[in-house]
Amino acid sequence: MKFGGTSVGEAACIQRVADIVESHHAAGDEVAVVVSACSGITDRIIAAADEAATSSEAPAIDEFISAMRERHIRLLEATAPEYTIEVTGIIDDLLFRLQNILTAVHTLKELTPRSRDYIISFGERLSAPILSAAIRQRGIPSVVLDGAEAGIVTTANHGDARALPVSEERIRARVVPLLGEGVPVIMGFMGATEQGVITTLGRSGSDYSAAIIGAGIDADEIWIWTDVDGVMTSDPRIIQDARVLDEISYLEVMELSYFGAKVLHPRSIEPAMQKDISIRVKNSFRPELPGTLIRRDRHQEKRVVKAIALIEKVALINVNGAQMIGRPGVAKMIFGALADREVNIMMISQGSSEANISLIIDESHLDAALAALTPIVKQGIVREVTHDRDVVALAVVGAGMAGSPGTGGRIFSALGRAGINVMMISQGSSEVNVSFVVKAWDGKHALRVLHDEFRLSKNSDETEDVPVPSPQVQNGGFGDARTYLP
């Protein structure tokens, strides 16, 4: 069971987590817990580290440490009063070490990736002892392990480390023996290199930790406890009647994650996929709800589309030039230049003429991307590079689309009826995802149109399959494209 930051952000939340753990332990389940930092803490630690490295004046380190202590001691006293003295000593020791390294960063005016990883790991270092004490308060034995102590061995890629295969054997040796005795509480988001240097696992690092631990102990299931009821058909902030999915496949949830849906990072799925372990996403604030089950086999529901993701804060880049036609190695130069600048490419589309390549990237990477491509233009390999910031991308995801004629036609016919112009289209060979780009002002409207078109709302039943087409069938230029009358 992995509990996210909002699940341990307040005393009442920690009590609820302890209730969940206690109920499963009492039922005879063997439970290992992975915990994130309390909500907002990691962001505050990052801000304090950046200030220490860049401030010309004395940063407010003492005030920061005092505020951190006050919040965590308050949580401890409210959830584990019998262990207040013991765990207060642990918290004070941790904060003393954090204060010392922040002072050193300010003195040296240097924050290396290695020291940054060590500093931001303190969020989990502070939350784990409190949750473990709250579990012990219920009479359940519990020990605390950091990621390295639990056996997570990683690459040395600070800020975005990956677990190495040796982790599985070490986790089995270190964590499994603890399950019979009680509930181990493991700090998420972190591991260590073979040399013992602390690393962090990047975005959704605690989810990734849970998947690594789950694979290492051969768990029956991996439960991701969060503050939503499960994986939803779309963003509930935009689609108010978005529905929680009962089941979804590994492949479908990976496609949603790649395209920005706040579900699970794709990397969090891989360890579970390799061991064929189901993942369940549940709401710690409403534990009675079943949540969403993620497993290998796709759920046989009649809807061909499962969910739709809207990806904002992206930019479109068009690389044009007749010189590109039939010239080997042009794509290699373009993507190699972008890779050298660490530009992440989310979507790619190329016309059969080979005279144009369109890319969707994170908007924050746009300046780096343009700088990377400028030398290629100067060399005459491409004629021009243009860009557009005022765009959004949408991803229509569903394993049922594979082999279902007419899905592409339905998507783009619905958008056409709504007067929404599509600027770029991309589809993978798996047919599980159709992605496209529209102007930013059309994004939310497009999301609502398609959510209604595929009847994904709470109030829609599952009577729909691929609809019977009207006699009027048109070639829409998109493979299986057909036009259906409403």
Side-chain angles (χ1 to χ4, degrees), residues 217-294:
I217 66 173
D218 290 317
D220 296 316
E221 287 190 354
I222 298 166
W223 288 17
I224 305 296
W225 291 92
T226 179
D227 57 357
V228 296
D229 293 342
V231 181
M232 305 194 75
T233 54
S234 195
D235 188 339
R237 295 171 299 180
I238 303 172
I239 308 296
Q240 294 183 353
D241 59 352
R243 179 172 52 88
V244 176
L245 295 165
D246 297 330
E247 293 189 12
I248 191 170
S249 69
Y250 292 136
L251 182 56
E252 289 169 324
V253 81
M254 287 180 73
E255 290 285 357
L256 285 172
S257 300
Y258 275 122
F259 283 87
K262 295 179 179 179
V263 188
L264 296 171
H265 193 278
R267 200 168 45 181
S268 304
I269 308 296
E270 292 170 4
M273 285 183 65
Q274 291 170 2
K275 300 294 287 288
D276 201 13
I277 300 172
S278 296
I279 300 173
R280 196 178 295 272
V281 180
K282 289 174 65 70
N283 189 344
S284 65
F285 295 87
R286 301 207 288 176
E288 70 279 3
L289 298 180
T292 299
L293 184 66
I294 305 169

Side-chain angles (χ1 to χ4, degrees), residues 19 46 101 108 132 139 167 180 219 227 278 322 326 334 338 348 356 378 382 387 398 411 446 449 479:
D19 288 342
I46 291 171
I101 192 169
L108 298 172
S132 179
S167 300
D227 57 357
S278 296
I334 292 170
L338 294 172
I348 302 168
N356 173 274
K378 290 181 178 179
V382 302
H387 68 275
I411 293 170
V449 165

Side-chain angles (χ1 to χ4, degrees), residues 23 37 41 67 74 91 136 223 238 280 286 311 334 399 440 447 477 485:
S23 66
I41 290 298
R74 174 170 51 84
I91 291 172
R136 285 190 287 156
W223 288 17
I238 303 172
R280 196 178 295 272
R286 301 207 288 176
I311 309 97
I334 292 170
L447 186 66
L485 297 179

Side-chain angles (χ1 to χ4, degrees), residues 203-215:
R203 177 190 160 195
S204 298
S206 291
D207 291 345
Y208 185 31
S209 298
I212 298 166
I213 297 294

Side-chain angles (χ1 to χ4, degrees), residues 255 402 427-433:
E255 290 285 357
Q427 182 179 23
S429 59
S430 68
E431 300 183 58
V432 173
N433 175 12

